[in-house]
Amino acid sequence: TAYPNPTNGNLNFSVPQEEVKIYDLSGKIILSEQASSISQLDVSSLAAGTYVLVSTRNEIETRTRFVKK
């Protein structure tokens, strides 16, 4: 789970992720990060709008929409 949603700064993850990708609604990749343990992601540089967050942990992919204020 990513929170807070909507956000204007950081997205936090209730369980650390191994890979995080952010897409705009047209499917274009905006941001990609890969590490052994991602617990927070800075999205302050993104334009206001709705995005799709794809996070991966233990080869399980989760898709969530979030709003950047």
Side-chain angles (χ1 to χ4, degrees), residues 1-3 11-17 39 53 55 62 64:
T1 304
Y3 64 93
L11 280 175
N12 301 295
F13 299 98
S14 54
V15 176
Q17 302 297 303
S39 58
L53 170 72
S55 55
T62 304
T64 309

Side-chain angles (χ1 to χ4, degrees), residues 9 18 22 25 30 32 62 69:
E18 296 164 348
I22 295 178
L25 293 181
I30 303 297
S32 178
T62 304
K69 289 184 180 179

Side-chain angles (χ1 to χ4, degrees), residues 13-57:
F13 299 98
S14 54
V15 176
Q17 302 297 303
E18 296 164 348
E19 184 176 21
V20 176
K21 294 180 181 177
I22 295 178
Y23 296 85
D24 64 16
L25 293 181
S26 71
K28 179 182 174 190
I29 191 160
I30 303 297
L31 188 144
S32 178
E33 285 205 21
Q34 195 168 5
S36 60
S37 181
I38 302 169
S39 58
Q40 188 176 71
L41 189 65
D42 181 4
V43 295
S44 61
S45 64
L46 297 180
T50 302
Y51 295 89
V52 177
L53 170 72
V54 179
S55 55
T56 306
R57 178 175 170 82

